[in-house]
Amino acid sequence: MKDKVAVIGVGCTKFGERYERGYEELICDAAFAAYEDAGIDPSLIEAAYFGAYMPGPHGGKSAVSLADALKIYGKPITRVENYCATGTDAFRNACLAVASGVYDVVLVLGAEKLKDRGGRGLPRFGHPLLARGNTAPGLFALGATRYMHTFGCGRETLAKVAVKNHWNGARNEKAHLRQEITVEQVLKAPMIASPFGLFDCCPTTDGAAAAIVCRADMAKQWRKPPVWVKGAALAVETGRPFFDPTFDYLGFRSTVKAAQAAYAMAECGPKDISFADVHDCFTWTEISNIEDLGFYEKGQGWRAVEAGETALGGKIPINTSGGLKSFGHPIGASGVRMIYECVTQLRGECGERQVKNARLGMAHNVGGPGAVACVVILGNA
Amino acid sequence: MIGIARLGTYFPRRRMDRALIGNAWGGKASGTRTVAAIDEDAFTMGVEAVAACVGDSPPPDVGALYFASTSAPYLEKQIASMVATAADLPREIATADFAGSVRAGLGALRAALDGVGAGSLRAALVVAADCRLAEPGGELEPQLGDGAAAALVGRHEVVAELVTAASVSEEFTYTWRTDEQRYVQVADARFGNQYGVQHDVPDAVGAALRKAELPASKVARLAVALPDPRAAAAVARKAGLNPETQLVPSLLSDAGVLGAAEPLILLSRALEGLQPGDFVVVAGYGEGADAFVFRATHALLAHPPRPVAQALAGGIPIASYERYLRARGVLPLDVGGELVPTYIEWKELKQDTRLWGSRCTACGLVQYPQEVVCMGCHAAGKTVEHKLRREGTVFTFTIDNLAQVPEHPMPMVVAELDDGGRIYLQGTDCAEGDIAVGSRVRLTYRRLHQAGGNRNYYWKVRPA
């Protein structure tokens, strides 16, 4: 995989409550932005991978929404749905399709309109009796409770993740929540699922993002300098960790496995990564992630947050985009949006948020919680 | 020797200060009443009572389970069978529901005693539970309480030996609820007591004592389940007993009138502190009356029922009258959610209701739900069914405010079950701080949600 595939264009809509823009319109906005970014004629797209957790009103559980929005007909489009790793897994599949030599130019697009469904959070799927009553924050909270019990960190530390990511997001015009917040605000917010209050949780967001990947040997003919795919790996673990007597609830094995595989593909290690957009669906998840991804030892990630090492300009800047926490989390779009952040950082286009001397960037999703994780490593050289 | 070998009582944890009713409607009722939680009904309370009576592994010789209630959650669907399944009794068991009046609990007891006496049953479980609904603002509302009891009837380790039983039965309109009514109806209480209760109950008690050739003065305690403690005292006097010394005190001030469960609960209370050879009379009313004379045995000293006061301890106050109305479904609440398909219920009965998981014969790991491939060592096809313990310790938890459930905050708990297996369940009956990493929990079979025109039941955890 390493250096066989390049990202030649990316696009991202404004994330937020997009009641005014339809599902297929968001798809168009993201795709056209990516076409424009690459300076490519859409007719050159040979295949597409469509990340959508709950597709829009017309498409159903298929790839049809993407085809109908963009009028890409007669070509192979595959819909990918893999919990919160949907976007990065769609990207991974597109890379595999190009690396296999079957296609030269492939579109990846993730889109989600969560707000149109009404209610709060995500609708529940699953067994009618077993694990009933679970919610996304409630499921991750089980890990946070155990982590805090084991390693002794408090809600203040979790709050600092939110404060940092809001600081980044406030400087990102496409982010959903753009206000800076304080630790005190986080701690005083209404409880959602203990230990998570409102500001420990990512918002429910609409948005779409796109990336165009192509064969490495044809990557330099487009408008912008290419960004190289160094590694992309997926790992699936149990979707019912709460029933697994061997699970310690201190982190996610899927992230550990996916990261190991991605590092091996990219022939690098955690120390080589310049910055990472990781899956901060909830504040604690980010702390767990930076340990599971190898940036910190297990149980030490919260100390790094306390020390400010994950802030922009810190030892390993995490979620310079604002993360899911501030940028928003439209499930299928999020992973592709992380690719967008990595590519724009690696091209040096991020202005105030720019990571200095960025060489290798990482995008990471984990969903389930812990059932699926996808890690993508991109580089600009 | 035939009689009652074990008695268990169960009270829902919620308590309503009767002052809340007074605040809402006027009037000055005092004391507290027990209130079934929003996820409880006569069925789930019956399951709890069985556990209180015989634990989670009922004796293998139980050949029948009889369930008695006037407030069963189904008009057509047998609760006794549902209780037997949740209690993981064997399939090869006779079950029947008793209903129609609060005398149903004693009717079920009589059927069990007769079955054991006739030799057709070696042992039987009698389960009685009620959470009757009174009209909001009506005179009955402060009186009623919710509770359940179960009795193991048999010949082995009998603590209360049956001496005699007597009944009278005659139509009398006092308390009723038609198939179109939601709330219990009461006719003129003074007339009903004078011409119904005081006519029938002393007759039944007198007949039982005569059959036993037992003078009233030799009765250690009379347990008579009636809505009004003064009526009970009058019964005692009419039967020749001294209410001051021989009558078991009513539970009205701490729990309320407990319907079909009350005679068994009062019997349990009557047995507290008795000596072998002491006589107890238990009686109840409803379009007639039943009375039983029991004699305490030596086994009572070894296996005394858990004191009723202990079963009543540790209540959680309900914050408002409105919350009581919601808990009892008087204030309706639409909760989304899917019906459990009957196909899944059938397929997973042992896993979901009897609560059996798997044990890996390769590595020994106990796990839930049932697995083909072991979660621990990944050995394929080495798992066997394994009955899970219904007690455990909190491994981790959250207090959730987001889930689509009728009451928040709701604990969601990952618990490690005693002797293996990890399970993830909703918490119920929790006061603030009850759930913590390492705290002890007990599984309880509750109403999980209502959807598709049906009720779906599943396990939850409550503080142990």
Side-chain angles (χ1 to χ4, degrees):
Chain A
M1 170 80 79
K2 189 187 177 202
D3 295 330
K4 288 183 178 168
V5 183
V7 187
I8 55 170
V10 288
C12 184
T13 69
K14 162 75 182 164
F15 275 27
E17 294 184 346
R18 297 297 308 271
Y19 295 116
E20 87 296 351
R21 200 79 180 135
Y23 185 72
E24 293 185 7
E25 290 171 333
L26 288 177
I27 290 175
C28 290
D29 294 346
F32 295 168
Y35 297 154
E36 173 68 22
D37 191 52
I40 195 173
D41 182 334
S43 66
L44 293 176
I45 303 288
E46 294 169 290
Y49 288 82
F50 175 44
Y53 186 64
M54 295 175 290
H58 304 298
K61 297 181 89 64
S62 74
V64 170
S65 293
L66 184 64
D68 274 336
L70 299 173
K71 308 298 182 288
I72 300 178
Y73 294 135
K75 291 181 183 174
I77 309 177
T78 300
R79 173 168 162 256
V80 177
E81 177 189 336
N82 220 346
Y83 283 162
C84 290
T86 293
T88 36
D89 197 19
F91 180 81
R92 187 185 70 95
N93 276 281
C95 293
L96 291 174
V98 171
S100 74
V102 176
Y103 306 113
D104 292 339
V105 183
V106 173
L107 172 69
V108 189
L109 194 140
E112 212 80 61
K113 277 210 82 184
L114 297 177
K115 301 303 292 187
D116 284 1
R117 306 188 68 89
R120 300 189 295 167
L122 298 174
R124 182 186 179 274
F125 303 108
H127 193 283
L129 295 174
L130 273 61
R132 195 181 180 88
N134 74 63
T135 60
L139 286 167
F140 281 92
L142 298 172
T145 299
R146 192 72 203 174
Y147 184 98
M148 293 160 78
H149 173 81
T150 305
F151 296 122
C153 88
R155 286 196 65 218
E156 296 76 10
T157 307
L158 306 193
K160 284 173 185 166
V161 174
V163 169
K164 167 184 72 76
N165 290 354
H166 271 256
W167 191 92
N168 290 337
R171 286 152 182 80
N172 192 341
E173 61 180 16
K174 289 184 192 280
H176 182 173
L177 304 177
R178 299 199 59 208
Q179 78 278 30
E180 289 185 35
I181 55 171
T182 64
V183 168
E184 191 184 17
Q185 274 176 300
V186 179
L187 296 179
K188 281 187 173 170
M191 288 305 288
I192 301 297
S194 66
F196 299 145
L198 185 65
F199 281 107
D200 288 289
C201 304
C202 68
T204 310
T205 303
D206 304 328
I212 299 166
V213 292
C214 82
R215 244 173 48 207
D217 60 0
M218 53 192 285
K220 291 188 173 164
Q221 61 186 285
W222 315 101
R223 181 169 292 156
K224 297 267 181 79
V227 166
W228 310 98
V229 179
K230 302 292 181 180
L234 178 79
V236 177
E237 283 279 339
T238 178
R240 339 187 253 266
F242 32 76
F243 291 132
D244 181 353
T246 70
F247 186 48
D248 63 13
Y249 258 113
L250 300 175
F252 296 114
R253 294 187 282 220
S254 54
T255 295
V256 173
K257 296 285 184 189
Q260 283 169 355
Y263 287 133
M265 281 181 178
E267 296 167 359
C268 71
K271 288 188 168 47
D272 302 312
I273 302 296
S274 315
F275 66 93
D277 243 52
V278 306
H279 199 89
D280 59 326
C281 49
F282 306 98
T283 46
W284 168 75
T285 323
E286 177 170 314
I287 295 173
S288 171
N289 292 337
I290 60 177
E291 298 169 354
D292 296 338
L293 292 166
F295 300 134
Y296 294 95
E297 294 291 313
K298 184 50 69 184
Q300 296 300 313
W302 70 274
R303 296 183 192 277
V305 170
E306 286 286 348
E309 293 178 14
T310 55
L312 190 66
K315 190 173 148 198
I316 171 80
I318 300 292
N319 287 325
T320 51
S321 62
L324 308 180
K325 178 69 211 57
S326 163
F327 205 105
H329 185 25
I331 310 295
S334 277
V336 188
R337 191 277 302 160
M338 290 173 165
I339 302 293
Y340 174 87
E341 173 69 12
C342 288
V343 167
T344 48
Q345 282 283 2
L346 290 167
R347 287 185 195 152
E349 297 172 349
C350 290
E352 196 183 352
R353 295 183 298 103
Q354 182 61 46
V355 176
K356 292 195 176 68
N357 304 318
R359 298 178 59 81
L360 286 177
M362 176 186 279
H364 159 260
N365 283 141
V366 61
V372 293
C374 194
V375 173
V376 175
I377 300 173
L378 302 175
N380 55 10
Chain B
M1 188 189 293
I2 298 155
I4 294 171
R6 296 285 183 280
L7 263 171
T9 52
Y10 172 76
F11 296 98
R13 201 172 173 198
R14 308 300 205 282
R15 302 283 185 277
M16 180 161 62
D17 187 329
R18 292 193 177 95
L20 294 180
I21 303 174
N23 294 343
W25 301 108
K28 275 191 274 185
S30 62
T32 59
R33 55 157 293 183
T34 51
V35 177
I38 200 162
D39 56 0
E40 287 189 294
D41 56 29
F43 157 51
T44 67
M45 292 196 298
V47 177
E48 284 274 13
V50 171
C53 179
V54 293
D56 292 335
S57 297
D61 59 351
V62 170
L65 185 146
Y66 299 141
F67 177 81
S69 178
T70 66
S71 55
Y74 288 92
L75 293 177
E76 180 165 348
K77 192 172 193 317
Q78 200 199 58
I79 308 298
S81 183
M82 294 168 68
V83 173
T85 307
D88 199 24
L89 286 161
R91 265 171 60 77
E92 300 77 15
I93 190 175
T95 52
D97 282 356
F98 289 69
S101 93
V102 294
R103 191 154 64 104
L106 291 177
L109 180 63
R110 175 135 195 191
L113 289 164
D114 286 351
V116 172
S120 71
L121 296 170
R122 291 176 64 197
L125 271 166
V126 176
V127 186
D130 252 327
C131 49
R132 298 151 83 208
L133 205 53
E135 186 167 27
E139 60 180 283
L140 212 51
E141 190 175 43
Q143 289 181 29
L144 296 188
D146 303 331
L152 175 68
V153 172
R155 293 173 177 272
H156 182 59
E157 288 184 355
V158 164
V159 300
E161 178 192 9
L162 176 67
V163 181
T164 56
S167 298
V168 295
S169 294
E170 194 165 50
E171 148 71 1
F172 185 89
T173 299
Y174 184 13
T175 305
W176 75 94
R177 186 162 64 89
T178 72
D179 57 357
E180 291 170 344
Q181 285 168 327
R182 187 169 189 195
Y183 306 118
V184 178
Q185 311 290 314
V186 197
D188 181 328
R190 200 162 63 85
F191 179 81
N193 178 48
Q194 192 170 344
Y195 293 92
V197 173
Q198 301 301 332
H199 185 51
D200 292 345
V201 183
D203 278 3
V205 170
L209 290 176
R210 273 195 305 281
K211 275 202 221 174
E213 298 176 354
L214 185 68
S217 59
K218 297 274 188 190
V219 172
R221 278 174 201 156
L222 169 68
V224 56
L226 288 172
D228 180 354
R230 283 170 306 179
V235 165
R237 278 191 293 273
K238 272 199 152 186
L241 284 85
N242 180 352
E244 301 291 323
T245 57
Q246 289 169 287
L247 188 65
V248 176
S250 146
L251 289 162
L252 189 64
S253 67
D254 299 323
V257 176
L258 300 165
E262 182 153 331
L264 288 176
I265 294 173
L266 289 180
L267 174 60
S268 181
R269 203 175 204 197
L271 290 173
E272 289 170 18
L274 284 198
Q275 292 304 308
D278 286 350
F279 289 96
V280 172
V281 177
V282 59
Y285 175 76
E287 295 75 45
D290 294 322
F292 299 78
V293 178
F294 288 101
R295 180 168 41 218
T297 70
H298 284 281
L300 179 64
L301 302 177
H303 304 286
R306 182 184 183 210
V308 169
Q310 236 181 57
L312 261 174
I316 308 175
I318 291 182
S320 70
Y321 179 71
E322 290 78 2
R323 280 181 180 268
Y324 153 76
L325 291 181
R326 172 152 288 177
R328 297 321 309 139
V330 178
L331 286 180
L333 190 72
D334 280 339
V335 180
E338 72 277 40
L339 172 68
V340 179
T342 186
Y343 324 105
I344 290 182
E345 183 189 70
W346 176 82
K347 164 68 180 73
E348 297 184 357
L349 196 66
K350 193 155 192 182
Q351 171 187 288
D352 299 350
T353 304
R354 294 184 183 274
L355 204 69
W356 284 56
S358 298
R359 182 171 47 80
C360 177
T361 56
C363 74
L365 187 72
V366 175
Q367 48 206 289
Y368 182 89
Q370 297 185 349
E371 296 276 1
V372 175
V373 178
C374 174
M375 285 183 199
C377 71
H378 301 179
K382 298 285 188 190
T383 53
V384 292
E385 288 187 326
H386 184 85
K387 182 182 170 84
L388 299 176
R389 291 282 300 273
R390 296 177 180 183
E391 285 170 324
T393 303
V394 175
F395 184 76
T396 186
F397 71 99
T398 182
I399 310 292
D400 191 291
N401 288 289
L402 187 66
Q404 285 197 4
V405 293
E407 273 190 347
H408 286 116
M410 174 197 64
M412 285 297 295
V413 173
V414 174
E416 298 199 288
L417 299 178
D418 296 352
D419 295 342
R422 202 180 274 189
I423 199 159
Y424 175 52
L425 298 170
Q426 295 182 17
T428 187
D429 286 354
C430 296
E432 200 177 330
D434 273 354
I435 298 291
V437 173
S439 67
R440 294 284 298 163
V441 288
R442 154 105 205 147
L443 272 60
T444 176
Y445 202 63
R446 295 294 178 96
R447 206 179 268 194
L448 193 65
H449 68 297
Q450 181 152 343
N454 205 343
R455 284 92 195 245
N456 299 312
Y457 296 91
Y458 186 56
W459 295 96
K460 296 187 181 183
V461 295
R462 62 172 169 83

